[in-house]
Amino acid sequence: MVLALGVSTGLLLQLLGCVLFDNWWPMLVGIMYVLVPMPYLFFGSTGGDGYAIYGSSIQSGWVDAGKFLTGFSAVGSIAIPAILAHAKVITIGALIMELAAALVLGATVLTYDYFNSKDSGFF
């Protein structure tokens, strides 16, 4: 329930950043939200003990490459609104809404990863 609330709040902030300021350029970040998990899904899944994002004792080069590409593309979800605001394409209010959406969605993904990588013996 908490994860659904986090995702829906993040997407609502993303949409409000566009609607309230009557500018749809910040929706480019939506492309990054689709692209961010792809390298992690293809290369970064450890499947072993420990936290999936935070690392484990033994990792292959593909796992490291997946984590690097995921982090690199996650920076794009913050950089795109910042570049648009610097170029005066969007307002500062839209930038704040977009960064809040990225923060909420990022926290939701980290929360999911944290609870998903825990030992599920207590269920």
Side-chain angles (χ1 to χ4, degrees), residues 33-46 66-67 70 112:
Y33 291 151
V34 173
L35 294 179
V36 163
M38 293 304 163
Y40 180 71
L41 291 174
F42 294 139
F43 304 117
S45 177
T46 59
K67 289 179 181 179
T70 299
Y112 169 76

Side-chain angles (χ1 to χ4, degrees), residues 43-116:
F43 304 117
S45 177
T46 59
D49 294 335
Y51 301 118
I53 286 179
Y54 309 112
S56 63
S57 60
I58 300 174
Q59 296 179 347
S60 70
W62 289 110
V63 172
D64 290 337
K67 289 179 181 179
F68 173 76
L69 291 173
T70 299
F72 185 76
S73 56
V75 169
S77 63
I78 297 170
I80 290 173
I83 291 169
L84 290 173
H86 180 72
K88 305 283 191 233
V89 175
I90 63 173
T91 62
I92 297 299
L95 171 67
I96 292 170
M97 295 288 274
E98 297 300 317
L99 294 179
L103 180 72
V104 169
L105 288 170
T108 303
V109 168
L110 289 176
T111 303
Y112 169 76
D113 185 60
Y114 175 75
F115 285 117
N116 193 35

